[in-house]
Each structure stands twice: as structure tokens, then as C-alpha cells.
Amino acid sequence: MTKRYYYLTCLSFMFLGLTFAVQPLPAQAPGKIVSGMVTESGTGLPLQQVFISVSSTGASTTTDEKGEFSISVPDLHSELIFDLPGYVKRNIFLRNREFISLSMVPIIYKSLDDSYNSPLGVRTLKDAVFPVTGLTVNDLKHTRASSFDQAFQGKVPGLSVTEQSGMPGQRTYMNIRGISSIYAASEPLLFIDGMIYDYSYATKSLMEGFALNPLDVVDIDDISDVTFLKDGLSFLGAAGSNGVIDVNTEQESEASTVIKLSAYGGISLSPERQDLLDATPFKGYFKDILSSQGYNPGQINTMYPWLDGNQSADEFYRYNNNTDWQEEIYKPSTLYKAHFFIKGGDDIATYNISTGYLSHEGIYDKSGYTRFNLRINGKINITDRFSITPNAKLSLADSKLANHGPMERKNPILASLMKSPLMASYTKDELTGADLAYLDDVGAFNISNPTVIVQNAQGSNRNYHFLSSITAKYRINSNFNVSTLVGINFNNARENIFLPDIGIVQIDSAFNSPGDFVNEFRSMQNHTQLNYTNKTASGHSFILNGGFRYMKNSYKHNLSLDLNTASDDFKSLGDGSQYNFLRSTTGDNRGLTWISYFGNLNYNFRNKYFLLGNLSYDGNSATNKDNRYNFYPSLGAAWRLSAEGFLNEARWLDDFKLRGSWSVTGNMFSSVYDYSKLYYTTRRMNGTGVLLREIIPNNELELEKKNTINAGIDLSLFKQLFNIHVDYYNSNVNNLVIEQSIPETFGYTEYFDNGGKLQIKGLEVAADARLHFGNFTWLLGGAVNKQATEVKELTFLNPGTKNIVTPVNNAQFVTMAGKPINSYYGYRVEGLISSADAGKYTGPKGVLMQEGDIRFKDVDGNFVIDEKDMEIIGDPNPDLFGSAFTSLSFKNFELSALFNYTMGNDVYNYVRNRTEAMDSYANQSKTVLNRWTPSHKGTSVPRASYGDPAGNAVFSDRWIEDGSYMRLERLTLSYNFPTWQGVHKGMVVYLTATNLLTLTDYSGYDPEYVYVNSPYYMGIDYGKIPHTQSFVMGIKLNL
Amino acid sequence: MKKSYKISPFIQAIIVALMVFGYGCSDDFFNDKAGDRITPDQHYKTLIDAGVSLQGVIIPLQDFMPNLIMMDGLLSDMMDVTANANANLININNHEIAPGNPYVNPASLYQVILNANEVLANIDKIAANDRNFDAVLLKAYKGALVGMRSWTYLTLIRLYGKAAYMEDNLTSLPANLSQKMLSRETMLDTLINQMIPHIHDPGTGTQMQEVRLKYCVNNKALLGELYLEKNDYANAATYLKLACESYLNQSAILKVDKTYRDAGWSNIFLNSEGDDVENISVIPYSTENKQDNVLAYWIGRNYLYMVKPTALLVDSFRTQIPAAGNPGDLWRGQGITIKTDTLMQVNDSTYLTESYITKYEIDDQDPLSSDIILSRAADVHLLLAEALNRMGDETSQKYALMLLNDGVNAVNPKPAPYSRWSANLGIRGRVYLKAWELSEGLLRNPEARMLYIEDLIMAERALELAFEGKRWFDLMRVARRRNPEYLADKVAAKFATDPEVYNKIHVKLRDPNNWILTY
């Protein structure tokens, strides 16, 4: 496709716009009288005092006590506007009807006529051409969520939100319509009060498996509405390919002062325990594993005299406990939050100030998260045409973190599962067996003391966010207005970590290690936009936007690690070793500049035919000069069937609209595009820095572009009591960036090019219903998302390469044409080696397999189990996910429940791998009681053998489990106190239970987790802090 | 406060449009850089840039040299594997190298070539920018770059029999990844032609002074070595001799003099970077700067100890005859290059002994900082002796023996071509070993004499340059001019205790095609 093609597209938009604009007005018909009746949706009660006006003439009237009205209109194509406080405003075209029967939806319920904020301005949901979902305050209430993203879970079709773990302050992994890239971003672009908020970088932490949540810059109680734009984001050019979440905090304020107070408090319970061996079976297992090393009972007795309960043996008390380590580390924890909000002002200036404090304890000692938020919004009307809106948000978050990576050495959860029950947290008095005051060291089984990790390992993080903008708006005339926003975003995180010596397994010569980390993100932005709106009397409506966005981001971090301080009491960086070779310092300093010129045309004719076009011309610093600027077009059309005459008589049909669209967007958020440029990198030669080239650049590397075709249906029945939205999409990334291997004779073998094709297909169905029975109102809703990401094609430079195998810690993923992206790649288990097959197969570690070992599938039939026998053994991506929501209100009581579910995703249970590997002195799960022994052969659990020479525990489908689950995410009971004149204007008390029930076959703690935000760690459970059941009680007070 | 503005909407729209398109016209606007890296337009401005880039060309050898020394030792008769060795090393030792063996990966060498081309393509910019970077320096830098690049190509063709030849600065991948592969012979000619313009002509006094750049090879020595590889002995001898001398007919630079005499010999490895009479080209390592010498870690007795010296080499050191005293190479052998320890008493009369390589732990306080020497005076002198010997005439052979034995210093009167070499002690003389003499019979038989002297030189190179990455190349060079059997005999001798393996290796190595590594 040439640039000329794009220009033509662009020009045709303009032409189309102009032809309609210059169309002569139809001759003025003689006036007509229209009458009608307005009722409340749901109850059917007549509404009086509804203000009705004719948009073309301005004539107006109100309904009487029966809800009836009559009004004079110039012709039967006029548009009427119905407005009543407490109800959603409606605009309708007469469409030749002389009698209008209209129902209005109370503002507390969702309605098609709701408006939503998009980065281009305010739009109406029912006129949407591209798929969009809006959330309001009501969707985000009564939650214990520490940040707003957690509350999006299950609320939006097409959006998947996974909390990374149960660690307070942890971010979520959000994704709209699937993974669209291997190396570039797959997470939606976030707007907060009109500013792009890049939240990818400010998440970094030294704690393995932990990512900070930069979204806590906005308190959930400050949010007024959120919009999810899932497609058609060409006006955002290279930033638009993963959808947009547009979050707006409360801005509008009335002249009278409003004060709101809210608070909650509650507890989290500790998680359900995993079934592990007690002391006695552990001893049996331990002896088994020792004998697999070739020790006979006599030798074992010499080495471990305390093993057989010999009280006089040295360290008898140290090694004769029966500790439940899970019990040692977990504890119930508390949750608190308070929020204060005030708004007010006059015609000239209004203000809107809020502040909040939140404290969530973690489920084990010394972990937790506290946060302070401050927000100030205002609006100053300098003239009636010119206004300024300043906006500032500040948050300070303190976290006490714990490691939850794949190393049981540092991860307290893994350590608690693997530590032998024979030991105890504290050292023992050698004579009496009483606990002494000191935590015990590692001891005989070579697993860190979990209590030490929890109590003495330090991970404190302090995170500052500052987000501020000022917007100036000038109304040129009734059709034109111009606005510009200038904003900065600043994030600074400091982290201090310390890993003690005593109680933690040592690696090489490292005893203890302090570390410091500073992470800084800055962004400068400007959005300038000219808007044109026009509505002709004949029913042509135009909205035209044009302007540009400018963004300059800087990403920077510094990290220092040292080793071996004088003792565990010295924890800061300066206390560490003076030797250079024990220290390491690393850093990063990157930038991204982006400028995007965009145009947007919104046209509709009498709310019946809709046309929407976007075009942006976009330049960024991610790729090299040759591919810097790109065009991104999109085009959509919609047809409201329900506005056609032939459906005028279908009273049960409130709205019926078909949508179709096509869009092209880009994906610039990735450092992989650095491979398009030649850089010189530095190495050290003795004391000096020397310079050499980094790579062979790929001058042709271009930004990944996503083409999406979307088709949708919006249907609303029975006066908006029943609504359904269906969207089908098919996205193709035809220039997916993949890593190539190039011959060694080029010196640099790392090379990336646009050699892949990816297809993402999906179907989203969301439906809701509202039923009224007397005093009862019952709301019901749900969403189903079916989604599949498939690698369509891979073109390798090296003809011998067929697929890309990516090893990560203890697992492997494969990218293979025709298969889901990032499938698990490993061996398949077929059972155990029988006595007949003993010695026949060479195992994955090159050792002959014995009876009782795993019999892996020998794909090539050569009796050698090696990488040629690997196949795809699972897909971490879900086939289906969604939610169900219900709420029942009776008078002032309301009971609501939210369910989430995920189906068809495979997970790699690394925790089970460690607790069923039977290859070390680590404690194991009860499953190993069923292990193969010469006297117990009819089993599927292999034999225990130290070091696992046979490779029974290697990455195979033995560890892959079905990760489907259904969870009762939230259950809330609330009571709405009636207004008490002079005391309060409203008060709600609620009780929310979170995570009350989970239905799953997954054997780990919790099926909901994400290790890190990378497609290459999807589905691996390295032992994350599980989500806990929690109960909070809260109050909201309006004064 | 209310004002009304009387600007037509049209004009206002134009103002806004101007504001919009005023942004982002220049490329500087998108000049965001990634991390601790710089872009080409920030570089090649000053003399300092030339220095860091030249060293940047060499630095990939920090990764490669440990591999080269392991390959050299195991392929030849210098090293044997221990029980700690990994499968890749065992395969190298058995000449059964599977694709993907990481020790055999040539990528680092090609990085040297790519970077050398890159700097050569850009270095004129510095001359244009910085007047301190004058013509003399420019010539020196270009020479050094061509020299390092040629050394790398030579190493490639020696190991792999061919090399991908890159004429220009590679700024992007060629279509279909096509590369010009040059055979050993073609490459040697190409390299010689490339080197000649970068040799300073000593004949004219008007020539500019030669500048020696740290860490780089000596171009004359390298050119001599290239000729030697081609069996062009006269040219080889000319350039190797020139390499040892300086301009304007002053005394020799690379002297093999008293600086590292006797006990001082081991200081060659301690002073590797600070010295300019012995060490020519050195790859530095430093634990303090976090550049550990992984070779020392692989071989060290206190570290991984994956390889050990062969019994042949240990014996060879032990049986050397000094000018006086008990047998043994006192200053280079036990405790310096190698060490043999009695470890464990197996029974009353048998002790288990174990040998290990100590050449890279001469500084026993900080062995991981040991440098790896790419080229030094003794190497050049022995190559010169080899070329002289092969020239075949009696005088040249006399000089060859002189350089091998007690040096120019011991000869009186000084022969004319070596009149200014009076400080030269000879390779053996420097470490106080007895000089080799020719028997009457040999003096009468030129052919046998030549082979005999060549054997002596080869044996001496094995001792002097043990574990410096030379032996495998020496064996191939000599075997090519003599007979493949020569190499097969030498290497298979390592497996003498197991006749089956001995035969297998011997048969394999009789075919020169099997000397070539593939990756």
C-alpha cells in the first residue's frame, strides 16, 4: 500500500464531509403538532416535569402529571430532547411519528444514552461505531481494591484483568483483546484526565515476581467514569494498537459545597494450606532419598543420628520437630482505607479536592502497603469563552515487599512448602528443647528458614507519583472550539533490599546482600485539538477533530547490589564489601519521543446512518529514520435499523444497530526497535571504557502494525431493560517482530525483523437485564469472551529454523506457525517405565531410565529422549473468559455478587514440580506417599532419586494443569440510609466479601496470577502470594 | 473580565494549524537514545574516540582467547581433559566436534572484523576533526586496525580452513545472508596484499617514526607469519627480522635480552601490559574491573580444573638439560608453566600425582586477572628461526640455531645482519638451558639438518609458548610442509596408553581435512 492510497482515503473523508455540509436545507414544511408520553423504564410509571425541546427551533414544553405532552415541530424529521434530573437525557428523531412513547432510564442504571469520555471528547454510547464500554462510579463502588484496575475485573467485555498476586500494592495485568505482540506492548494505553499515562516502566522492582502498581496515582474513590475503547484507535497512531482505557476523575462540580467521607476496615484470612508431608512420612521419604544416593542404613545413622529419635544424639531438638511452615509464615491481616472529598465553587472558579489514605497488610509478617493520595482539580472561567482547568495528583506509596520468584532460597512461599517439618523457626536449647531467641540457620536440608525470609529479609519500596496537567479551552464560535493540554507525569521509586546471611541458603561466597534501586519515569505531553461540531436542521450531524499529540518520555533506573556486610544488622549498601568484584551496578536511560497529527470525522444522519473516519500521521523515535513516519487510517460505519420506518411499530425494540469497521494501528512501545539503529555500546578494558558496535542493525525494521476488522451488533429491548452487545473481531499483525538467528560469520547473531504474522480472533458477548418486581429490582449481567491468538506464519532467514523456542526459568515456550502464541514446549508423559522397559530408554539427562522412572513419549522412536521428542504440551492462553454479575435490591438494601471465570488455559505448576520432584531433601507434598518403590509398583508417581538423574522432573506435561476457574470475586451487602436533613445528604453502609469461593481443579494455592508482565512467563506459577479471602465493612457519607 | 475577540474563525484556524505544524520538523526532535549507548553521529570526533574504538575492536578477543587456548591445547598435544571436563571439551580432545560446541564458536572473531571495518570506514572523520590526530597517528591507527583484522582472519583460516570475507563496513545484512567465503590460500594472499601498504619501510630515513599502539599486533611480525604460512621463507625471514628491529637502524626493540632472564622469565606474564621489550599484543583481564579471565577459572586447580597438561609436556619440561645443574627446565617448567603435585597415597608405594597448568596463575594472588598474550618477542624470534632454517642455506640455519640457543650475544664476532642484536640472549640461553649442537653427520646432510633444527624449534616453541594458543597452528603449519603424518604422530601420542584410541585419532588426523573445525 502506497502513501498515495492513504492520502486518497484522507481526501475522500473530507470530500464526504463537505458534500453533506453544503447540501441545501430541505424546504421548510409547515409546522406540525406531535404528542407523546414519557414513562420510567422498568416500572412504567409516568414521568412529569420532563423538559422537552426541539433541537432545530428551540421550542420547549414539559410533561404533565400523566407524563403526557404535545409540542409543535417544523416537520416530522425533527429531533426532540428529553431531560429530567435523575434520569438519562435522551435525544430522538421523530421519524414521521406523530405520537412518541418514550421511557427514561434512572441515572443509577446503565443506559444506551449515557455519554462517555474519549480522548477526543464526549460521545454517546448509542452512537458508537467502534466497540466501546463505559463504566461509572456505580461499577467501582464497595470494593476493597487498592487501585482502580483491580475493580475493572469482569466489568468489560474484551478486557482481561489478572491480579498478579495477592501481595498488596501489586499491579494487575490488563489486556484488551489478547496478546498482539511478542516483543512490543500488549497492554492497553491508559489516559488519566486526558493525559497518556505510561505505566509500563514504573512497575520495576528488585523483588522477583513483583511489579509495582503505578495506577495507584488515582484513588478509586476519585474516579467518575472510565471508558474502554477496544478498536478504531487510528487517531492514536503508533500508540493505539492495544486499546485505550480512559479514566476520568471527578471534574464537574456544582456551585454548592459537597463533602463526602468514606472509609472501610476489614481483614484478610490466610490462604488454604497445601497438603504436605508431616514429620514421620518426611523421615521415610528422607531415608529413601538418602538410600538413592547409595547410603546404607548404617551410614545414614552415622550422618543423621537424630533421625531415629535418639534423644542423646547431637542436635536432637533441632531436628525433631513437626513444624507446619505454612502456619509459621501466614497470618490474618488487616485492611483500612479512608477518603475525604470536597468540591464547590462559583461561576468563575470551581474546585474539587480529595485525599485518601490506604493501608493493606500482607498475609505474612512485615509485608504490606500503605498509600497517601492527594488530588486537586479545578476550573477557572476566565471569560465565557475561555477556561482553564488545572489538575494535579500526588501519591506516596510505601511497600514492604517479599520476593516471589522461582528460587525457594528467597521466596518464603516456596521455602515454606519445601522446608523440612523436622526443623523449627527458632534455635533450640540443646538440653531442654525450648525455643531460644534466635531464628535458626539453614540446617541439614539446605532450604532457607521461611521465618527468616519473612522477618529478616528486607524489601522496602517507596514510590512517588506526580501527575499534573493544565488544559485551556477556547470557544471560537458555536461550531469551533480549540483546546490544549500540557502535562507532566513524574514517577520515582526507591527500593532498598537486604537478604540476610543466617537462615538463608548461601550461594558461592555471598553471605548477605544489600541492594538499592532507583527508578525514574518522566513524561511531558501536549495535546492540542481543534473541534468542529455542526448539526443541520435536516439532521446531518458532524463532529470534526484535528490536532496533534506530543509526548516525550524518559525512562531511567540505577541499581546497585553489594555483598557481605559485617553482619545481618548492617543492611545498607555502604556496609557491603569494598571489593569491586563483589559489587554490581547497572542502569538504564532511555527515551521515547512521539508526535502524532490526527484527524477525526464523525458523521451521522438523523442518528440512523453513521460514518466515522480517523487518520493520523505519526512519527516516533522508536525506529530509525527510514520508518519513522507512518499513516494510520480507520473507517467505520453503523446503521441503526431500529430507526428505519419498517421497525417503527416494533415497540419492544428500543435500539438495534449494526456496526462494521476497519482500522490500522501501530505498536511503538518496545525497545526491540532499537535493533533498527546502529548503536555503539561500551565495554570495559581494564579501567577504561572502550567502544564497539552493538549489533548489525536492521534498517528495514518497522513498527508492528495491527489491522482489525470488527463487526458488532447493539441491541436493546423492552425499554432498555434488556441489552446485548456482540462484537466479532479479526486482527492481523502482518509484520510481527521475531528474533532471527543469523550465522556466526556475521559476528553478531542477534537480529530482529518483521518476519511473523499473527492473527487474533475473538467474539465478545455482553448482556444485561433489569427486572422490577414490586420493591425488588434485580440486575443481571454477564460477558463471554472467546479469543484465540495464532501465529499464522514465520519467515526465518536461516532456512534450517522452523520455530522459536524460548527457555525461561524451568520451562520452555515455543512460537510455531499455525499454533497459539507462546505454547508450552516439553515432553509428554506416557506412564512409568516397566521392568520390561528398564534400561531401554536414554532419559532427558542422558542417563538410562530405570524401572519406576517416567516413560516420556519417544516421538522419533529412537529410544533417546531429547529435544526432538518435545511437543506442544499446553497453551497458557484461555479459550474463554468472562464474568457474571447480579444484584438484588429491596428498598434500601442491595445484595450484589460478581463472578469471574476463565476456561481452557493451561498452567505450569512449578510449585508442584518442586514439591513432587523427589530429587532433594526438600519437603514434598502428600502425593509422594504414592511413589514407586520396588514394593509399590502400581502407581503413576515415579521413584524418588536424589538429583533426579533420570530427568523425571524436567519440564513435561506432568506439571501442566488446567487453570480454568470460576470465582465469586465479590459479594456485597449494602444499606442506603435515607437523607437526614441537617445531618447528612446520604449514607451507605456496606459489607463486602472478596474472593469468597473459587471453583477450580488447579492444585496450587490460587489459579489467578501472572508472574511478570511478559508473554514469556504467562501461566507459570512460581509460588506467588495467593489471593486471600477478605471481608471489609465500609461507610460512605455525603455531607 | 469579559472580552470579545474579533478574529475571524478562519484566521484562528490558521493560527492553530501553524501552531500544530510548527512542531517536530527536525530529526533532532526524535533524537532519543537508548540507555548507555551512543549513536554514530556522537562518535569519531577526537583522538580519544580513536583510542576507545581501537580497543573496542580488540575487546571481543577477551571472550575468544580462552576458547582459542582450550582448543589449541586439546586439539594438539599440550592439554588433556580431567574428570571435571564437560562433554564439549572431551569432544574437542577426541577430535569429535559436534555442531554448536560453544568453544568453537567463531562469532567473537567476526565481531573483531566487523568493528575493525567500522572504525576504518570512519577514522578519517577524526583526522578531519581533531588536529592532534595527525597523519602519523592516522597511519598508525589504520595500520593497527588492518593488523588486528588480519590476525583475526589468519586465526579464522587456521581454525576453520576458510573465512567469510567482508570487504566493507557492514551496515546492514546482505540479501540472502550471502557472504564471500575465502579459502585459506586465497585469504593468505589477500591478507598479504592488504598488509603491505601498512608496513613502514625501514630503508628510508625519511619515513615517519612508527607508533606502537597498545594491545595491537606488530604488523611486520604478522606479515612474516603470513609468508611463513605460505612457505615463502625468504619474505617471512625478512619481515620477522624487521619486526624485531626498529627504524633508523637503531638497536633491536624485541630483544629477548636480560630483562626476563632466568628467574625473571615468569615476569613476562606479570608485566604483560607494562612491558615493551617482550610483549607485543596482550588481551588484558582484571577482576577488579570485573573482567575475569575465564580461562584461569576453567583450568585452575582451585577452580574448575577441567584440563591439565599432557604427560608429554610435563616430561619434556622435566628432561630439559640446563647449562649446569640437574635436569629440568628450571625457569619455565615446574611451578611456572605447569605443576605436578603428589596428591594422595594410594598404597604404601604408590602415590597419585596430578599435573595442572599454572601459567595463568603466576600471580597467585589474583589469577583471574591474568592476561592472555597474543604475541610476544620469543614467538617472533622462534618464527624467524623457523623461516631461516627453512631457507636451507647453512648461514641462515646457523642464525636459526643462534636465535634458538644462546643468541647473538654469545657469538663473536657478531654476524653482520645481527650486528645490532648484541643484547640478544637466545631463547634457551635466556632460561639457562644448554644449547643444541649439530652432529657431524647432520652438518653434512642439509635435508636432515633442516628437519632436525625444525624439530628443535618446534620442541622449543612447545615449551616457551605452552598454553599460549600456538601449538595446534605450529603442528598444522609444519605438517603441511612435511607430511600430515607429522601432526597425527604428535597428537596421537597423547593417547599412547590406549592403542585403540591412538589408532582412531591417528587415522583421523592423517587426513588434513579433519584438522578443519566446523561450527
Side-chain angles (χ1 to χ4, degrees), chain A residues 801-835:
Chain A
T801 315
K802 295 256 173 344
N803 48 45
I804 308 168
V805 177
T806 315
V808 301
N809 292 356
N810 299 297
Q812 269 192 141
F813 290 94
V814 72
T815 305
M816 202 186 269
K819 300 288 178 195
I821 192 168
N822 296 328
S823 305
Y824 298 118
Y825 193 58
Y827 302 109
R828 226 172 251 292
V829 173
E830 288 189 324
L832 292 190
I833 301 256
S834 62
S835 55

Side-chain angles (χ1 to χ4, degrees), chain A residues 345-387:
Chain A
D346 55 25
D347 289 347
I348 303 291
T350 57
Y351 64 89
N352 195 316
I353 299 171
S354 63
T355 173
Y357 176 78
L358 176 141
S359 162
H360 282 190
E361 276 184 352
I363 54 170
Y364 46 79
D365 255 0
K366 301 200 174 170
S367 69
Y369 169 75
T370 59
R371 187 181 78 212
F372 170 77
N373 282 80
L374 178 70
R375 181 186 64 111
I376 303 170
N377 288 355
K379 187 174 182 189
I380 303 156
N381 296 314
I382 293 172
T383 70
D384 60 350
R385 289 171 162 232
F386 185 46
S387 69

Side-chain angles (χ1 to χ4, degrees), chain B residues 30-83:
Chain B
F30 291 109
N31 206 0
D32 281 301
K33 285 173 286 289
D36 40 10
R37 295 175 274 177
I38 63 167
T39 50
D41 56 319
Q42 290 170 288
H43 196 51
Y44 297 119
K45 292 196 163 69
T46 65
L47 180 56
I48 293 167
D49 293 350
V52 296
S53 268
L54 177 64
Q55 290 178 27
V57 168
I58 300 163
I59 197 114
L61 295 176
Q62 252 187 7
D63 305 329
F64 183 74
M65 287 312 286
N67 290 347
L68 175 65
I69 288 172
M70 295 299 262
M71 279 191 279
D72 168 69
L74 291 171
L75 292 170
S76 72
D77 54 356
M78 304 295 280
M79 280 182 193
D80 209 341
V81 288
T82 68

